[in-house]
Amino acid sequence: MGDRSLRSNDLLGRAGNFFEPKSVAVIGASSNPSKVGHAILRNILDSGYKGRVFPVNPHSKEILGVKAQASVSEIPVPVDLCVIVIPARAVPGVLDECGSLGVPFCVVISAGFKETGFEGLKLEREIIEIARKHGMRVLGPNCLGFINTNLPINASFSRIMPPTGKVGMISQSGAICTSLIDWARSSSCGFSKLISLGNSCDLTESDFVEMLAVDKDTRVISLYVEGVVDGRRFMEALSFAAEKKPVIVYKSGKTLAGAKAASSHTGSLAGSQAAYQAACERSGAIMVDSLAELFDLSRAFALMDPPKGNKIAILTNAGGPGIITADACEKAGLYLAGLERKTINRLKQVLPPAAGLHNPVDVLGDAGAQRYTEALEALVSDEGVDALLLILTPQAMTDAVGTARGVVNVFSSTDKPIICSFMGRDSLSEAVNVLQNGGVLNIDYPDHAADILGGMYARTVLTKRPVSVPPRYSVDFERVRAVILQCIEKGMTQLDLESCVEILGAYGVPTAAYHLSESAEEAVEFAEAIGYPVAMKIVSPQVLHKTDIGGVVLDISSSEKVEQTFEQLISRTRRHMPDAEILGVAVQKMVPRGREIIVGMTRDPQFGPLLMVGFGGIYVEAFKDTSFRIAPVSFTEAASMLRELKAFSLLEGIRGEKRADIESVEDVVLRVSQLACDHPEILEMDINPLMVYNAGDGCVCVDVRMTIGR
Amino acid sequence: MSKGIIIASAERYSGKSSLAVGIGLELIDRGFKIGYMKPVGSYPVRIDQRKVDEDAYYIANSLGIDEELIPDLSPFFLNWDTLNRYMRKRPSLVEEKIRACYERISQNADLVLIEGAQNFVHGKILGLSAVEVAAILEAGVLLLDTFNEELSVDRALSAAEYFSDRFLGVILNWVPERRMSFAENLFKRFLEAEGIRMLGAIPADRILRSITVGELAASLNGNLICARDKAEELVENMMVGAMGQEQALRLFRKQANKVVITGGDRPDIQLAALETPTKSLILTGGHIPTPIVVGQAEELGVPIIVVDYDTATAVEKVDQAISQQKVHHPKKLERIRKYVKELIDVDTILDIMDLPPRMSG
């Protein structure tokens, strides 16, 4: 890890060189306008780039009026950046030449690498080798390139340049970049940097997140990803950036159909949606659910600081949109502010008697620019209002352009965010232009505007979070290590109950005492020793869902019953699963009923151990009331995992029921978190049910399953 | 004194061929000359125009049996067409033929291992069930029994009664790891009290029931499209992928050395399988997988088999192929030799056959 952070620090120091090259070579530049090599050169020249440009093509003397070089070696000055647009097979040779000349950065636009199969994959590996050998950093291959609007330079094959602005965009899809640029031009949204990642063979999303984090022209970092190269590193990069500015992540491939499509596109296991969610939560990045939200929230952060709180005022000239927006606010985690008396008095003075003076404030359909502006001023100066949503519907008396001018004025004199929703398009385009030119965000639909404000507030919450670190318990690490190695040695993938219980015990997770008996006599002997009542369960590696075959019997209170139950369990298993290997019957001290919780862990291919808690027993499959975090978790995270459950109130105790021992569950979560981090061989784990008792009485793990592997 | 030992079983696919090779090689190591035959064959192949049972030929080869003896290895066959023939007209001179073959095979051997037919009554139509072969050749009978909690003990008792004086003893096969101590203690003590020899117990070892990727491809008429150099890898288990990627990953982690069967149009499941210990991917529906998956499989050395069958049919075929796998793999051979050396009471077998121990030469 030390090595990696060094490398990235080194990269951060040189980020300026990547985005601001003093000289650029385009290898594979072409005079044929239908070639990408032509488009790239033309784009660089047209973008107003002030540095030196060298087309490289052994077959041309001059391209687009610039003298062409036969090879990189013949360029008379040191080259800061090479953009490579030649057939894939020729890329390694050229890259090696660039490396030998000390070129620090290359962008490989060419396709034909891992996306095409094994031969392509080998070529891509070769590129990585060459880059490492020379200490050269490579963007791509199979990408659109990048744009820096501040320099400016358009080192991509996007024909158009976006306006200069504050959004730093990183996208795994080049095509999405081109569409965002197009949208941006019509909505006066500007970008600082735009990077298309392509196959991310060397420079990855994490590198660019860090580079944009320290980029003074970037105010908000916006990411579109289908999967990431290294989940843990991604989290570190997000945390680093989110400390400095808002980071918004849109991850596609969430559904079965989407994951199928993403798999054939990127060729990597994306990791679970829950893991991405948890990774963003941990790092302080904001995760969005649609491309529209990614774009609009980026615009919002580019123009405004997030609100200080979640008290919103809605100003409208119609009742319907006010109600729609109020609904949307609540869904987005926002509250309608209760207005101060002095605000209401002020509104009374500027609004007609029929107007709605309480939030949402309705200026009525005949409101002109002045009435709107005065009401807006009154609301902005209310101490209890953190942000404003201004809605305008085009009615007969509406002065949209005048209102827009008024809004721009008020906006420029306050630090509270104001989002407008001028509802319509045809008659409102001029007014919307006024808003956009004045730096005011306009969103077509008012409910979507509320979502965007909700996204901004999420940033406020994230920046106010207390910092807490994962605890370290004193545990018997070596014992667990020995059990795991022994099981791996035997070729086991699913651990037997004995090993699971031993492992949990070594990490201080309370488990119910049990004995694996091979005969009815043995079962009776143990039951007598621990005292009645007892529970009995069939133990067989093939029986995964014991209750399905009647493999669990509870509350057995005599030796005769134990004997009977033993026989019953064996014959039930034989009947349902004649081929199952029966290891015996576990006799367990009957634990009293409590509230049943599940604590689970699955090792995500990208992010590592993903912890889960939920309501357990047979309910886990019915309600799917679960929450996730990436291990290791801190006290605060363990606490919030439980509090995120919809049925959390069941633990707090409702209708006279006592509060459950919530702290003991948090303790188990923290211990499982440490176990998962200490022993990477544990791939999956389910403690289900964890029986939780009333406050002070603790909890106990009744059943557990683990899958191991290397 | 006869030199023949018949390895008989109560069920087919009990591991008779493996045990024959294992005991044979162990005895060769100890300096004995070993003969081998399988009076009733199942799958005839032609070797230089000579008809021989496929398994028997392989085993004879492993034991270094003289090529000249090929026609004697499996003089009779029972399969669909010969059975129809024999039901219309029973063959004559069966005894004479068997005896003649056996004599040629045993001429230069200290001991002849005789592999029984599918089970110990099979071959009766020819007069060649285990008890009859034992009488003709004056051979002893060894019962190889696939361990079954409820049935093994009764099969051993019945076999002892049925084969009477010719019965040599019992070897248990496919005993679950956890039941080995039961087999070696209570089970053994019980049989010995009944006057029945227990000559060893072989644990359930998935490698012995594994199949090579190449054999799988052949049994499915499939097309191996990458990592062809891994066609000799052994597959022990099969899993089917028809869920989401996350569930697939959780499931696939639960088994090692497996083949995963899934649709050719499910790159998400294919990638999940490649993330876990997987020996091969069988892609159904005739879809050629996306190049990016093929590239990764090639790099990881996981062969992809593309088949035209739908997933349900492919599962059935693979299941069949795994249950009928052969001992023909160096890794399996090595395993069975180890078990024979460590767990089979070869000294007692030699003692019964009146063969004094020799030092290997």
Side-chain angles (χ1 to χ4, degrees):
Chain A
M1 196 197 264
D3 171 45
R4 219 222 16 251
S5 38
L6 264 182
R7 209 182 48 170
S8 99
N9 284 342
D10 172 47
L11 180 65
L12 285 188
R14 298 193 296 152
N17 303 25
F18 177 83
F19 288 122
E20 294 164 15
K22 294 194 172 61
S23 53
V24 178
V26 180
I27 303 172
S30 167
S31 41
N32 178 349
S34 68
K35 293 270 168 87
V36 179
H38 180 88
I40 302 262
L41 180 64
R42 189 198 54 210
N43 289 347
I44 293 176
L45 295 172
D46 288 357
S47 62
Y49 176 60
K50 304 273 188 330
R52 300 186 63 177
V53 183
F54 301 97
V56 176
N57 188 330
H59 310 295
S60 306
K61 288 221 145 44
E62 190 192 278
I63 302 168
L64 287 166
V66 185
K67 181 173 178 283
Q69 311 286 328
S71 74
V72 201
S73 318
E74 285 173 27
I75 299 174
V77 299
V79 178
D80 286 349
L81 177 76
C82 285
V83 184
I84 299 174
V85 210
I86 55 178
R89 263 172 297 109
V91 170
V94 165
L95 216 50
D96 199 33
E97 193 184 352
C98 294
S100 309
L101 293 169
V103 174
F105 293 105
C106 288
V107 177
V108 181
I109 305 282
S110 320
F113 292 89
K114 78 167 183 193
E115 76 281 5
T116 60
F118 188 51
E119 290 309 311
L121 181 65
K122 281 200 289 193
L123 271 182
E124 194 164 317
R125 295 266 186 270
E126 221 178 304
I127 294 189
I128 299 170
E129 287 279 302
I130 293 167
R132 299 272 143 87
K133 184 175 82 186
H134 295 295
M136 172 173 63
R137 305 307 306 262
V138 176
L139 168 62
N142 188 23
C143 72
L144 185 84
F146 78 91
I147 297 174
N148 175 1
T149 60
N150 304 104
L151 190 58
I153 182 172
N154 177 2
S156 81
F157 60 92
S158 160
R159 232 163 50 76
I160 45 175
M161 259 302 246
T164 306
K166 299 288 176 193
V167 180
M169 176 78 206
I170 302 164
S171 172
Q172 202 167 338
S173 155
I176 283 185
C177 288
T178 60
S179 289
L180 287 172
I181 295 171
D182 214 289
W183 274 320
R185 284 164 66 106
S186 74
S187 62
S188 74
C189 166
F191 288 92
S192 55
K193 314 279 185 297
L194 231 130
I195 301 112
S196 148
L197 293 169
N199 293 2
S200 303
C201 80
D202 176 41
L203 288 171
T204 66
E205 59 284 334
S206 304
D207 294 315
F208 286 106
V209 165
E210 288 174 349
M211 281 154 84
L212 293 183
V214 296
D215 177 38
K216 61 178 186 346
D217 297 317
T218 299
R219 216 181 127 117
V220 47
I221 302 171
S222 208
L223 281 116
Y224 166 76
V225 291
E226 287 151 16
V228 298
V229 174
D230 176 343
R232 288 272 160 177
R233 162 122 166 75
F234 184 58
M235 276 165 64
E236 283 171 30
L238 290 184
S239 306
F240 174 74
E243 259 179 42
K244 300 176 171 58
K245 51 189 82 169
V247 184
I248 313 167
V249 179
Y250 177 43
K251 150 84 173 63
S252 64
K254 302 172 200 216
T255 60
L256 200 139
K260 253 173 86 172
S263 297
S264 57
H265 192 201
T266 64
S268 55
L269 267 187
S272 73
Q273 193 60 25
Y276 277 89
Q277 195 87 50
C280 287
E281 163 74 35
R282 161 73 55 78
S283 322
I286 300 161
M287 203 167 182
V288 294
D289 280 326
S290 68
L291 198 54
E293 217 180 327
L294 179 72
F295 184 63
D296 290 333
L297 193 53
S298 301
R299 291 163 66 201
F301 281 123
L303 297 171
M304 294 170 277
D305 282 331
K308 298 206 163 51
N310 59 354
K311 305 285 186 291
I312 308 304
I314 300 172
L315 183 60
T316 173
N317 65 349
I323 301 166
I324 290 173
T325 312
D327 277 343
C329 279
E330 190 165 311
K331 273 194 220 151
L334 304 171
Y335 290 98
L336 294 200
L339 301 180
E340 289 173 344
R341 179 161 299 277
K342 99 176 166 227
T343 308
I344 293 175
N345 288 339
R346 227 174 119 179
L347 287 172
K348 253 187 213 156
Q349 285 167 16
V350 300
L351 298 182
L357 298 179
H358 296 276
N359 201 2
V361 174
D362 189 346
V363 293
L364 300 181
D366 60 350
Q370 193 188 352
R371 201 192 290 168
Y372 246 121
T373 310
E374 283 173 355
L376 182 62
E377 278 167 346
L379 291 172
V380 163
S381 53
D382 189 310
E383 299 278 334
V385 171
D386 300 312
L388 292 104
L389 284 167
L390 185 141
I391 298 156
L392 178 142
T393 54
Q395 301 185 38
M397 311 286 287
T398 305
D399 173 9
V401 174
T403 307
R405 286 202 187 102
V407 175
V408 170
N409 271 337
V410 177
F411 181 71
S412 63
S413 63
T414 175
D415 56 357
K416 289 182 185 174
I418 300 175
I419 298 182
C420 290
S421 181
F422 280 30
M423 296 170 60
R425 196 160 286 163
D426 191 44
S427 69
L428 296 176
S429 59
E430 198 192 334
V432 169
N433 275 338
V434 171
L435 290 173
Q436 286 177 346
N437 293 338
V440 176
L441 181 64
N442 183 66
I443 306 268
D444 284 353
Y445 296 93
D447 37 2
H448 184 50
D451 288 342
I452 298 305
L453 203 51
M456 294 188 84
Y457 176 65
R459 167 76 188 164
T460 311
V461 174
L462 289 169
T463 48
K464 280 185 186 163
R465 286 191 306 187
V467 184
S468 80
V469 287
R472 289 290 301 175
Y473 293 95
S474 141
V475 295
D476 194 345
F477 175 90
E478 292 303 331
R479 197 164 126 214
V480 173
R481 179 109 199 103
V483 171
I484 291 175
L485 288 182
Q486 204 178 16
C487 293
I488 286 180
E489 184 75 17
K490 282 193 211 156
M492 291 166 77
T493 48
Q494 285 167 276
L495 292 190
D496 52 302
L497 183 62
E498 282 156 292
S499 305
C500 289
V501 167
E502 189 169 353
I503 289 172
L504 289 186
Y507 270 66
V509 175
T511 50
Y514 88 103
H515 175 80
L516 181 66
S517 39
E518 288 183 19
S519 69
E521 296 84 67
E522 214 183 311
V524 170
E525 207 175 297
F526 182 73
E528 299 276 330
I530 55 169
Y532 296 103
V534 297
M536 293 173 70
K537 294 172 196 170
I538 193 75
V539 180
S540 159
Q542 285 81 28
V543 181
L544 296 179
H545 298 284
K546 301 182 189 76
T547 42
D548 291 357
I549 62 158
V552 180
V553 180
L554 303 176
D555 262 321
I556 306 156
S557 48
S558 71
S559 59
E560 296 78 47
K561 282 269 170 58
V562 169
E563 232 180 297
Q564 269 174 30
T565 308
F566 189 93
E567 285 159 14
Q568 204 179 27
L569 287 173
I570 301 279
S571 42
R572 275 182 195 164
T573 311
R574 275 266 163 274
R575 188 166 311 131
H576 288 284
M577 301 179 74
D579 296 329
E581 180 192 341
I582 297 175
L583 302 180
V585 172
V587 182
Q588 215 168 26
K589 174 99 185 131
M590 185 69 207
V591 300
R593 268 211 169 269
R595 281 161 264 192
E596 293 186 12
I597 289 285
I598 176 171
V599 178
M601 187 278 294
T602 176
R603 207 162 286 275
D604 186 85
Q606 282 298 349
F607 295 97
L610 181 66
L611 298 178
M612 182 262 274
V613 297
F615 276 83
I618 57 171
Y619 299 109
V620 65
E621 283 173 38
F623 298 134
K624 298 195 168 53
D625 186 7
T626 49
S627 70
F628 296 87
R629 286 292 185 286
I630 291 163
V633 295
S634 64
F635 283 113
T636 343
E637 284 176 299
S640 54
M641 275 180 94
L642 284 171
R643 279 152 189 84
E644 274 168 28
L645 297 176
K646 294 183 204 91
F648 178 68
S649 54
L650 290 179
L651 290 179
E652 283 185 309
I654 43 178
R655 302 240 170 152
E657 198 182 23
K658 283 195 174 140
R659 183 176 187 275
D661 200 329
I662 296 170
E663 291 68 26
S664 71
V665 183
E666 292 167 0
D667 190 63
V668 168
V669 171
L670 291 165
R671 286 173 186 275
V672 167
S673 162
Q674 185 174 340
L675 178 62
C677 293
D678 285 358
H679 303 278
E681 296 85 2
I682 304 177
L683 302 180
E684 312 272 346
M685 173 174 11
D686 268 333
I687 296 177
N688 185 22
L690 179 76
M691 215 53 102
V692 186
Y693 303 111
N694 290 344
D697 296 339
C699 63
V700 62
C701 157
V702 180
D703 205 356
V704 52
R705 283 209 296 266
M706 290 187 202
T707 305
I708 55 168
R710 283 188 199 276
Chain B
M1 181 64 198
S2 162
K3 311 168 180 178
I5 296 182
I6 298 173
I7 301 175
S9 68
E11 288 172 346
R12 48 193 195 159
Y13 307 123
S14 293
K16 295 184 291 285
S17 305
S18 307
L19 185 69
V21 186
I23 293 185
L25 289 174
E26 171 63 18
L27 291 175
I28 289 169
D29 276 355
R30 295 187 184 205
F32 294 97
K33 292 200 200 94
I34 296 303
Y36 166 83
M37 77 183 295
K38 184 175 179 180
V40 182
S42 301
Y43 302 105
V45 287
R46 297 266 170 189
I47 306 289
D48 300 335
Q49 300 311 309
R50 296 169 299 183
K51 197 168 150 187
V52 61
D53 179 82
E54 192 185 355
D55 269 5
Y57 178 67
Y58 174 81
I59 290 165
N61 259 339
S62 312
L63 296 175
I65 308 273
D66 195 342
E67 284 276 324
E68 292 289 299
L69 294 170
I70 288 180
D72 295 327
L73 290 176
S74 47
F76 292 94
F77 284 92
L78 273 181
N79 49 31
W80 188 82
D81 78 303
T82 54
L83 190 60
N84 283 322
R85 203 145 25 97
Y86 296 150
M87 278 159 73
R88 281 192 282 273
K89 183 176 184 301
R90 286 201 178 200
S92 52
L93 301 174
V94 172
E95 261 191 64
E96 288 75 0
K97 196 169 174 191
I98 284 288
R99 203 171 277 129
C101 291
Y102 177 74
E103 255 155 39
R104 284 190 289 272
I105 288 171
S106 62
Q107 211 162 33
N108 282 314
D110 298 313
L111 192 136
V112 181
L113 295 166
I114 304 161
E115 187 174 334
Q118 297 190 4
N119 68 17
F120 61 63
V121 299
H122 191 220
K124 181 77 189 167
I125 188 167
L126 293 166
L128 292 179
S129 69
V131 74
E132 288 159 320
V133 174
I136 298 167
L137 305 179
E138 296 175 35
V141 180
L142 202 154
L143 178 73
L144 176 66
D145 197 55
T146 304
F147 178 76
N148 181 296
E149 204 80 49
E150 284 99 15
L151 301 180
S152 282
V153 70
D154 288 334
R155 290 199 288 236
L157 291 170
S158 305
E161 191 179 301
Y162 180 67
F163 294 110
S164 160
D165 291 350
R166 301 220 168 268
F167 194 59
L168 303 177
V170 181
I171 293 177
L172 287 181
N173 194 8
W174 206 253
V175 183
E177 174 91 29
R178 295 237 173 192
R179 301 301 280 159
M180 280 298 279
S181 87
F182 164 78
E184 286 167 339
N185 296 294
L186 184 58
F187 190 86
K188 182 173 176 161
R189 277 203 304 279
F190 172 78
L191 289 188
E192 281 172 356
E194 294 289 320
I196 299 169
R197 288 185 204 93
M198 163 86 179
L199 297 166
I202 299 171
D205 179 340
R206 300 218 67 106
I207 288 195
L208 294 178
R209 285 207 181 164
S210 58
I211 181 168
T212 67
V213 173
E215 287 168 335
L216 264 183
S219 67
L220 288 160
N221 294 321
N223 190 8
L224 256 179
I225 61 162
C226 69
R228 289 192 187 84
D229 56 318
K230 300 282 176 169
E232 280 300 299
E233 289 285 310
L234 288 171
V235 170
E236 297 170 20
N237 306 295
M238 151 181 82
M239 286 185 134
V240 180
M243 61 296 275
Q245 193 173 53
E246 284 169 52
Q247 295 93 312
L249 190 63
R250 293 194 77 160
L251 179 74
F252 294 161
R253 279 170 170 168
K254 292 187 201 290
Q255 250 167 17
N257 303 324
K258 64 185 172 295
V259 56
V260 169
I261 305 175
T262 191
D265 56 350
R266 291 298 303 271
D268 49 338
I269 295 205
Q270 295 156 17
L271 290 171
L274 291 177
E275 174 84 11
T276 65
T278 297
K279 292 284 185 182
S280 176
L281 281 176
I282 294 178
L283 305 186
T284 57
H287 303 279
I288 297 297
T290 151
I292 209 158
V293 171
V294 180
Q296 290 201 14
E298 181 79 57
E299 190 179 48
L300 294 166
V302 177
I304 293 181
I305 305 171
V306 174
V307 303
D308 285 327
Y309 298 113
D310 59 75
T311 299
T313 312
V315 167
E316 210 174 289
K317 297 254 172 203
V318 170
D319 211 22
Q320 215 171 15
I322 289 185
S323 71
Q324 299 174 2
Q325 44 63 43
K326 313 264 190 271
V327 67
H328 317 184
H329 193 280
K331 213 164 151 189
K332 291 180 172 180
L333 221 50
E334 183 193 319
R335 221 23 103 95
I336 187 72
R337 290 186 74 166
K338 173 175 171 273
Y339 288 137
V340 167
K341 199 178 279 296
E342 291 168 5
L343 301 168
I344 302 294
D345 189 354
V346 177
D347 292 335
T348 302
I349 295 175
L350 287 173
D351 196 39
I352 308 166
M353 301 307 288
D354 220 9
L355 286 168
R358 281 180 202 178
M359 285 319 289
S360 58

